[in-house]
Each structure stands twice: as C-alpha cells, then as structure tokens.
Amino acid sequence: MANGKMRVEHLSAYYGNRRAIEDISLEFPKNEVSAIIGPSGCGKSTLVRCLNRLHETLPRTRVEGRILLDGEDILELDPIGVRRRVGMVFQRPNPFVTMSIYDNVSVSLRFNGRHSREEIDRAVIRSLQQAALWDEVKDRVDAPAMSLSGGQQQRLCIARALAAEPEVLLMDEPCSALDPVATAKIESLVAELKSEYTLVIVTHNMQQAGRVADNTAFLYLGKLVEVGPTEELFERPKERLTEQYITGRFG
Amino acid sequence: MSAITAACAIAILIPLGDIIYQAALLGGPTLSFSVLTAGLPQPCSVPVNGVPCAVGGIGPALQGTGILVGLAALVSVPIGLAAAIFAVEYRGRFLGTAISFTADVLTGVPSVIAGVFIYAYFVIYDPALVFSVITGTLALSVIMIPIVTRTCEEALRTVPHAVREAALALGIPKWRTTLQIVVVSALPAILTGILLSVMRAAGEAAPLLFTAFGSRLGFEGFNNPIEALPLLIYNFAESASNNWIHLAWAAALILIILILITNILSRLTIARMVRRMRGE
Amino acid sequence: MDPTTPSSPIRAPRHRGRGWTDLVFFGLVAFAGLFVIFLIFAIAAILITQSHLAFSTYGFGFLVGTRWNISPTEQVYGAVPFIADTLITSAIALVIGFPLALGSALFLTTQAPRWLRGPLGTVIELLAAIPSVVYGFWGLIFLGPYMRTTVEPALHRYLGWTGGFNGNETGTDVLTAGVILAIMVIPTISAISRETLAAVPVAQKEAALSLGATDWEVTRTAMLPYARSGVFGATILGLGRALGETMAVTMTIGNHDALPTSFFSQGQTISSLIANELTNSAGPLQYSAIIYAGLILLAISIAVNVVARLLLWRVLRVSRGSVE
C-alpha cells in the first residue's frame, strides 16, 4: 500500500540470544488505527517498542530489518528525533509522579526550544481537550498528576504524548490496567484521534480490536500470521491459526 | 552530559589515586619485616657523628592497634549482636524500635565525642586509668557497638519468618533457634558488619587521643597507655624528622592495605559463603 | 504488614525444665538492648554534667560568645569561632562535594558502560574507607602546599575582590580543611545518591524517552525529581559526617582559636578544638567550656543525622557497608 505512514520490512528483534520477533513485514496506513493482537508473549509489545526505538534502550537488545517512517528508515536516524515523531502510551499509566497535570503535559514542550508561556498554555489545553480530559481537570491543572484516577492518568499520558505533536501514536495495551468505563472513554478517544494521527494499538482483547481498529495484524510466537482489514480478519480469516485464536481455542 | 559526569568521576578518583600513590611511594620503601616489628626510633633527620638515623619501626603501633581493636571487638560484637537480636526477635515491642533508633543516633555521634565521653568519665571516677588500654578499648567500643547493632539488625531482618516458625514448631527452644538457625543463616551479612566496624575502629585516631594516648613502647599492661597506628601517624605527621615522617607513611600504607584487603576479602569470602549456603 | 509476620512476637512453647534457658537468653539480649539505649543517655549525661561549670558561667551566651582566651588573667570562653569554623568547613565541603558526588552518581547510573558500574562504584566507596588521619596526613604534606602554591594565589587573583580570599596564603587554613572534608564526604553522598537514582522506576524513564528526551532531559525530568529526597538525604548524611570530622581537619586547619576573616584564615572547628585542648586545658573552666562545645557538636550532629535518616529511611540499608 502506498499510503503506509509506517512500514516494517523483515523486522526481527532480539533480547540477547532470544528472538522475540521473526521476519515481520507489515504496514501501518496513515490516519488509520492498526491493531496488533495475539496471545501473551507473541511479540506484540516488542514490535511496537521497535517502532519508536525504545526496544534498543534495554541492554543486550538487537534489531534486524528496516523500519520506515514516510519512507525513511528510522534505524538510520537520530532516535531522539524519531521518538518525537512517534509517540507512545504505555500499559500502565506512568505520569511523572512529582509533577502537576499541567507540567506533565507540557514536558515535551520544554525539551526543544523556547516556547512562551502562552504557547505552552495553548498547547496544554489543546492536548487535554484532544485526550478528552480537559473538562475534568480544567480548574485544577496545577494539582498533582497522581491525584487523578487510573483512567484519568492514562488520558493524561495520552495528552502528554499528543502535546509533542507526533505523527504516529503507539498504544501498548493502554486499557489493560483500567476499568470498563475508563476503557470505553479511551476507545472513543482513539476513534477521534485517527483523523489527525496514525495509531497503532496493541491489545490482548480481541473485541477491543474489533471495536476500534481499521486493520488488524495477528502475531503468534514472534511471527506475523495474518494481517488485513479488521472485519475481514475476524469474519473471514485466511489462516487456520487465526481462526483458532479468534474463536478462543487458545489465548 | 556524559562528559561532565565523567569529569566528576575522574575528579574524585584523582585524590584517591594520589593518596594511595603517595603512601606507596613514601611508605613502601620503608616497609620491611623489621620495620613492622621494631620499636619507635629517636627522631632524627641527618646523621649525627657519622651514625645514620635509625630506621626504627612501627611495631608498638601495630601491636597496639591489634590489641585495642581486638579487645574492642570482643566487647562490641556480643553486645551489638545481642542488642540486634533483642530488637528483631522480640520485636513488636516499643523497645525494639527504640534500640534501632538509638543505634542509628549513635552512629551519628562523632568519634571524638566517644573519646571525650570515656575520658571525662574516667577523669572523675578512676583517674589512674584515664590513659590506658582499657579506656582505649572502651572508646573504640562506643564507636563499634552501634555499627554492629545496626548491621546485625538488618541482617537478621532478612531471615524469613517462616524459618523461625518452622524451628519453633519442631520444639526447638527460642535461644537455640535464634543462635543456631537465624544467626547462622544471616551470618554473611553479620560478618560483613563486624568486619566493617573493625575496619572503622582500626583507623580511628580521635577517640584514642584522650584514652589510649599513645606510648613509645609496646603493650605494658592494661592499665597503661598504648600506641596505635592512627596515633602514630598523627604524632609523627608534623614532625621535622625524616625517619619519623617515613614511619608515618609506612603506618599509613599499612592501614590502607589492611583496610583494602579486609574490604575486598570480605566481599569475596562472603559472596562465596552466600553461594555455598545456597548450594551453588 | 505482610501476612507472614505475626502481630505478636513468637513465644517458644514452654517445656518443663527448658523454659529457664529461654528466660536467661531473653534477659541477656534485653540487657544488651537496654545497654545500647543507656549508652546514648550516658554520653549525653556525662557531657551535660561536665559542661555544667561553663554553662553556669555563660549560659546560652556561650553560643554567641566570640572570644576564646585562655590566659589566666582574663579567661573568657565563647563558642562562636568554633561553631563558625565547623559550619564554614562543612559548607565548603558540601559546595565542592555535592556537585562532584551527584555528577559521579549520575555517571555511574546513566552514562557508564554496564561493566564499569560495579567496579567504579566500589572504587569510589573505597574513599570512604580511608581513615581520617591518613587524609589529614596527605592534606598536610601534599594538599596544603598545593593549595598554597597554586590554588590560593589563583583564587586571590580572580576572586580577591569578594573579600574572602585575602590574607596569608599558607595552605593550612579553613579552605584546605574544607577541601579535605569535601573529598571525605563525596563517597557517602555519591553512593546513596546512586542507590536512589537506580531505584527510579523504568516506567518513569521510558515515559521521558518516549517523548524524545535526550539523556540529560531524561535525567532532569524523570530521575532527579523522583530521587530528590534521597539525594537530599544523602547530602545531609554527608554533612553529618563533615561536622564531626576531627583528624583530617585538625591537621589542615591551622588550629587558631579565633573567628575566621577569610577562607585563608587559620581556624578551629569544635572537633579540632577538643582534639587540641581537652587534655591540656589551663583549668576547670576551660575544660568545662571545651566539653560544652562538644555538647553543642553532639546536639548538631545528632539532629542532622536524624533528619538525614528520616529522609532516607526508604533507601538506606545499613548492611550496604562503607557508606556509614
């Protein structure tokens, strides 16, 4: 597909000698939500952590293959620049514990270049709105980030990631630590965000992929089994393995 | 950032390196078996009447340090270990926390104050003993006891409760459980703590200034003053006499070597002990 | 409280004829425990009673008295010169030592290659194991002259306008003592800071990384704020050590009982005062005054130490070793 915002080609990733992902080639179309599903340990997290070059920050890790962002191999670029363009939201909300809501969101703005107070204010408000958190915190943005509930903290992390104005947003099982109400809020958020961003969401919850994703890729034991538009994958899977996973024969 | 932080690390290593280097350079050549055993010489810088300066030795100081530290350990280890046992094994009582807290506070007491304490007490109650092996031992004990207590306490706390319960359920009395099972399983850490306190005591001069005081001769009885390596260094350091300065460096080198060896040895043997206990 | 800890201490089952050994054991350890508690009170009691003479003569005015004169015709004792020197040398130690300690802690936690971290950390901690008297000796023979010939003239040239770097450049002065103290407290501050920094959760660091932070930005945003209280506690602990240091200070400070007028002044801290004058005091009043000063030092040291441990109770493990 020519409109792939991000693409991986023959990607393999290792922890020491253990190969966690084997020869995966996959495309993430622009302004669409791509889900990655599969049983525990299949390499889903490893795959997305390669997309923002976080994988290599662990000791004794290695990557083979190419990862292309707008056609450029990010493995040849400055990792810090890559991470500014490819943002991430983690499985457990991880706001900076000593900072306020406002400071958490504005962190990335303080990294590069001077921004005036007004610019930062505007960016913070916009990000919190995009993360559907603004209404709930607008009168206490200086409150500690840890005073928020789990679901709110996760939306704060989304706002923080968005404030860096990335092109791609990676979400590594963003709702697995949250209750159903918070999960629903974030899922509707995902639907809104795709108009501006390209999203890649890892989930162990198939129904979630069904609800939010345009495309879904199914991974098993480090290998890509099948990928395609979500509806097709779930209703007319081409691989037997895919069908077995979807029908719950194994998890 | 790596440049600045690396520079900090290097800046710290420079004085460390220089101290060891100078001690080796100036103390090394002076060291010999006879220096370790011979008595302190008369101070002298230039040959007199054709007689070269006596090299002398640091024998009394080495002997004194050995005696003082050894006796102090004999006093401090039982008390410190016992206090730690009380704090941990009979915990739940207010007293346990109090002991822990007090030992912590005591580690913050400057070593010179330990010396003042013993000195002032004996000045009042037994002036004849003010400068003696006994007071020197007591002063070092005041420094060692809190360290032994705290380290033993931490060590005993790491022993899982299940171990004690299992032993008591077998009918083993508490005292045996504590000594033969709990203490033994915490032995590596306990030994580390003891070695740590011994190393501290061996290097302390301040408390000995008013207690052991120093002497020209070796051990002359528990009621009399005694020399120690740190005291010798202090007394000879400002001397104008070359042979004394060289002996001071020799003493400094010995202290550094002893402490380094103890440090490294304790890490190695205790690591080996731990591995053996785990059955590796 | 974890579920394996009973809420009351374990009591051994009572066997006839066996109970008494446990009682004896309990008595012995209890005695030792009480002895430790008794010890701190004994130290305080001795110091308080022996300083009574000076206290009844000067009261709390001792704390603001600036003159210390031992001549029999006009004895007067005031602690300010020693308190000042103690604080000044410790302040110099922290000003020089803290950045170096934090810098090396950061180097070891974030920059150094993994194989280097353990060994280099151990080497830095060896600095803590070197006895104070050896530091003093080295300071006397090497650092002092170096300060005299190289550092102090330079300081005088560039910073003399501040007024603090004037006077005879002898190398045996408050400044040199402060530098030696800096070297002595660095391992303490560095080792504990290292532990605190290493304890920052990976999730916090990854959050910063994922936003495109550089090494320094990760440190500044995710690590230092989180480790703040630990690093601060480490510094206070280092301060506690500096306040009580005797031998290294007394050998490098010049032993002059008067208020310092510049960094190049000779001085006397409370601990060096005690080391120099306790056993050859001119009379009971001086003796008592020295003990009074010692009592002040004890109080300050304990207070600082308690504050440090309160800040560090989560991080500090005594069995770590030489950081004590």
Side-chain angles (χ1 to χ4, degrees):
Chain A
M1 277 181 268
N3 59 344
K5 177 71 177 174
M6 277 195 95
R7 195 161 80 239
V8 302
E9 290 178 356
H10 301 293
L11 183 68
S12 300
Y14 299 79
Y15 293 98
N17 288 329
R18 182 173 75 84
R19 182 163 52 190
I21 316 176
E22 192 179 330
D23 196 25
I24 291 189
S25 299
L26 192 54
E27 189 146 324
F28 304 101
K30 189 171 154 93
N31 292 126
E32 286 183 23
V33 179
S34 304
I36 304 180
I37 62 173
S40 289
C42 68
K44 327 189 275 294
S45 278
T46 310
L47 175 57
V48 281
R49 286 170 61 98
C50 289
L51 296 180
N52 70 344
R53 297 190 63 173
L54 214 56
H55 174 76
E56 67 199 46
T57 62
L58 295 174
R60 289 187 300 275
T61 49
R62 206 164 36 99
V63 156
E64 282 167 6
R66 304 212 302 160
I67 305 174
L68 303 169
L69 175 63
D70 283 339
E72 277 183 290
D73 187 358
I74 65 172
L75 294 170
E76 320 247 303
L77 301 175
D78 172 28
I80 292 175
V82 169
R83 294 187 197 121
R84 297 224 172 117
R85 298 170 63 190
V86 181
M88 185 173 236
V89 175
F90 296 81
Q91 195 167 346
R92 311 195 81 79
N94 58 358
F96 296 118
V97 299
T98 56
M99 296 190 203
S100 66
I101 297 170
Y102 182 95
D103 287 334
N104 258 281
V105 179
S106 60
V107 157
S108 59
L109 292 154
R110 287 182 262 129
F111 282 170
N112 46 349
R114 319 201 165 283
H115 297 266
S116 67
R117 178 78 193 197
E118 296 82 42
E119 280 170 4
I120 299 185
D121 280 351
R122 266 182 276 130
V124 167
I125 297 174
R126 187 183 66 236
S127 306
L128 286 170
Q129 282 170 336
Q130 283 182 309
L133 188 60
W134 173 245
D135 286 331
E136 290 166 54
V137 302
K138 63 179 175 229
D139 45 2
R140 51 180 178 125
V141 286
D142 287 322
M146 301 309 285
S147 65
L148 296 174
S149 74
Q152 289 172 321
Q153 284 183 21
Q154 191 64 305
R155 277 179 283 145
L156 174 62
C157 292
I158 295 175
R160 179 179 66 184
L162 294 177
E165 294 187 327
E167 300 162 34
V168 179
L169 186 61
L170 308 171
M171 305 178 95
D172 187 358
E173 302 200 38
C175 304
S176 66
L178 304 179
D179 62 74
V181 174
T183 300
K185 285 203 182 131
I186 290 189
E187 285 180 9
S188 64
L189 197 51
V190 167
E192 287 168 26
L193 288 173
K194 73 177 181 189
S195 58
E196 275 192 66
Y197 307 94
T198 303
L199 287 102
V200 178
I201 179 164
V202 170
T203 178
H204 67 271
N205 181 336
M206 285 182 286
Q207 289 77 24
Q208 183 171 76
R211 285 190 295 269
V212 304
D214 298 303
N215 313 292
T216 301
F218 170 54
L219 258 57
Y220 184 65
L221 294 180
K223 296 210 249 287
L224 176 64
V225 176
E226 190 175 338
V227 60
T230 307
E231 212 177 293
E232 268 181 45
L233 192 96
F234 279 98
E235 288 174 15
R236 291 176 292 281
K238 296 197 192 76
E239 298 290 331
R240 190 164 164 68
L241 209 53
T242 316
E243 202 221 324
Q244 286 181 327
Y245 180 68
I246 288 170
T247 54
R249 298 276 169 76
F250 64 93
Chain B
M1 176 182 167
S2 39
I4 299 179
T5 55
C8 292
I10 293 174
I12 294 173
L13 291 177
I14 292 176
L16 173 65
D18 197 53
I19 292 175
I20 297 180
Y21 171 70
Q22 300 295 356
L25 196 65
L26 295 167
T30 320
L31 271 185
S32 68
F33 186 70
S34 66
V35 164
L36 289 176
T37 49
L40 307 181
Q42 290 304 315
C44 141
S45 279
V46 290
V48 172
N49 295 336
V51 178
C53 279
V55 171
I58 57 176
L62 209 51
Q63 185 187 48
T65 291
I67 293 175
L68 287 171
V69 172
L71 287 177
L74 235 57
V75 169
S76 316
V77 172
I79 294 180
L81 180 57
I85 290 175
F86 183 70
V88 175
E89 304 298 318
Y90 296 88
R91 78 177 139 205
R93 297 171 202 270
F94 161 74
L95 227 43
T97 333
I99 293 172
S100 206
F101 181 71
T102 310
D104 250 351
V105 170
L106 279 170
T107 54
V109 170
S111 58
V112 68
I113 300 286
V116 171
F117 167 56
I118 299 291
Y119 175 79
Y121 177 87
F122 275 80
V123 158
I124 308 170
Y125 295 108
D126 201 341
L129 283 181
V130 167
F131 299 126
S132 65
V133 173
I134 295 178
T135 51
T137 303
L138 290 175
L140 290 182
S141 302
V142 170
I143 294 172
M144 288 176 75
I145 287 176
I147 302 177
V148 175
T149 306
R150 284 298 277 137
T151 51
C152 288
E153 200 198 327
E154 294 288 334
L156 292 172
R157 275 190 210 282
T158 62
V159 177
H161 219 79
V163 170
R164 300 178 179 85
E165 288 174 335
L168 290 169
L170 288 168
I172 304 177
K174 177 133 173 108
W175 70 270
R176 250 199 220 277
T177 307
T178 309
L179 288 179
Q180 293 185 315
I181 296 176
V182 179
V183 166
V184 167
S185 64
L187 206 55
I190 290 180
L191 285 180
T192 313
I194 294 177
L195 275 171
L196 181 71
S197 64
V198 162
M199 278 166 29
R200 258 295 293 277
E204 286 289 348
L208 299 179
L209 290 174
F210 330 112
T211 53
F213 196 68
S215 113
R216 282 302 162 81
L217 309 167
F219 178 68
E220 307 174 88
F222 294 105
N223 313 349
N224 287 325
I226 193 169
E227 187 67 342
L229 284 171
L231 283 179
L232 185 149
I233 298 174
Y234 178 59
N235 287 322
F236 283 13
E238 289 172 11
S239 161
S241 315
N242 280 338
N243 62 347
W244 273 17
I245 297 261
H246 282 118
L247 284 180
W249 279 112
L253 184 61
I254 291 282
L255 262 181
I256 292 178
I257 291 177
L258 278 175
I259 286 173
L260 284 187
I261 291 182
T262 324
N263 214 304
I264 297 174
L265 220 64
S266 72
R267 282 171 205 257
L268 288 178
T269 31
I270 279 150
R272 183 146 37 104
M273 212 187 229
V274 169
R275 277 202 303 276
R276 202 153 4 117
M277 283 169 70
R278 290 213 198 113
E280 288 163 30
Chain C
M1 197 105 123
D2 72 299
T4 59
T5 315
S7 50
S8 66
I10 298 244
R11 297 218 180 280
R14 296 240 166 231
H15 296 276
R16 213 168 308 154
R18 286 271 206 101
W20 72 268
T21 48
D22 272 346
L23 257 164
V24 167
F25 184 69
F26 176 78
L28 284 174
V29 298
F31 174 75
L34 288 169
F35 179 79
V36 169
I37 297 179
F38 160 77
L39 194 54
I40 187 70
F41 288 112
I43 296 175
I46 291 278
L47 291 185
I48 292 174
T49 51
Q50 294 310 294
S51 60
H52 181 72
L53 178 59
F55 185 72
S56 54
T57 313
Y58 299 105
F60 287 107
F62 188 66
L63 293 162
V64 294
T66 58
R67 292 180 54 221
W68 184 273
N69 197 324
I70 63 175
S71 88
T73 47
E74 44 156 341
Q75 279 189 71
V76 61
Y77 299 111
V80 167
F82 315 112
I83 298 179
D85 277 331
T86 305
L87 293 177
I88 291 174
T89 50
S90 298
I92 296 173
L94 287 186
V95 164
I96 298 176
F98 173 73
L100 290 177
L102 184 60
S104 63
L106 284 174
F107 179 69
L108 282 170
T109 353
T110 61
Q111 304 297 311
R114 274 166 215 271
W115 57 266
L116 188 58
R117 288 179 192 184
L120 190 55
T122 308
V123 168
I124 291 183
E125 279 168 39
L126 281 175
L127 269 177
I130 294 183
S132 175
V133 69
V134 172
Y135 273 111
F137 191 23
W138 176 79
L140 186 66
I141 307 280
F142 291 106
L143 184 65
Y146 180 69
M147 297 290 287
R148 185 185 72 237
T149 53
T150 314
V151 178
E152 289 179 7
L155 284 173
H156 178 67
R157 172 133 52 102
Y158 296 113
L159 295 176
W161 54 270
T162 58
F165 297 95
N166 305 313
N168 274 335
E169 293 156 15
T170 57
T172 307
D173 46 38
V174 166
L175 182 63
T176 307
V179 171
I180 288 266
L181 281 182
I183 301 173
M184 294 174 77
V185 301
I186 280 173
T188 305
I189 301 177
S190 179
I192 300 177
S193 297
R194 236 186 327 134
E195 269 194 51
T196 319
L197 287 166
V200 174
V202 173
Q204 295 283 296
K205 291 188 275 196
E206 287 195 339
L209 277 172
S210 69
L211 292 167
T214 60
D215 267 343
W216 168 238
E217 284 161 350
V218 173
T219 304
R220 181 167 58 94
T221 330
M223 294 178 73
L224 286 176
Y226 195 93
R228 213 170 22 205
S229 61
V231 170
F232 187 55
T235 312
I236 303 290
L237 202 63
L239 172 65
R241 202 184 156 186
L243 290 171
E245 261 313 322
T246 310
M247 303 316 295
V249 170
T250 195
M251 292 164 90
T252 53
I253 200 172
N255 302 311
H256 180 59
D257 295 342
L259 270 174
T261 51
S262 97
F263 286 111
F264 298 165
S265 300
Q266 282 66 53
Q268 187 91 286
T269 61
I270 298 180
S271 48
S272 68
L273 169 75
I274 296 173
N276 281 302
E277 298 185 19
L278 183 69
T279 52
N280 48 351
S281 56
L285 184 58
Q286 187 191 9
Y287 177 74
S288 184
I290 296 174
I291 305 248
Y292 191 171
L295 185 60
I296 296 172
L297 177 64
L298 180 65
I300 301 177
S301 299
I302 290 181
V304 165
N305 219 274
V306 166
V307 166
R309 287 180 192 276
L310 282 175
L311 284 164
L312 288 175
W313 70 271
R314 243 168 268 154
V315 179
L316 194 66
R317 285 283 170 266
V318 176
S319 48
R320 266 208 93 260
S322 49
V323 292
E324 287 296 313

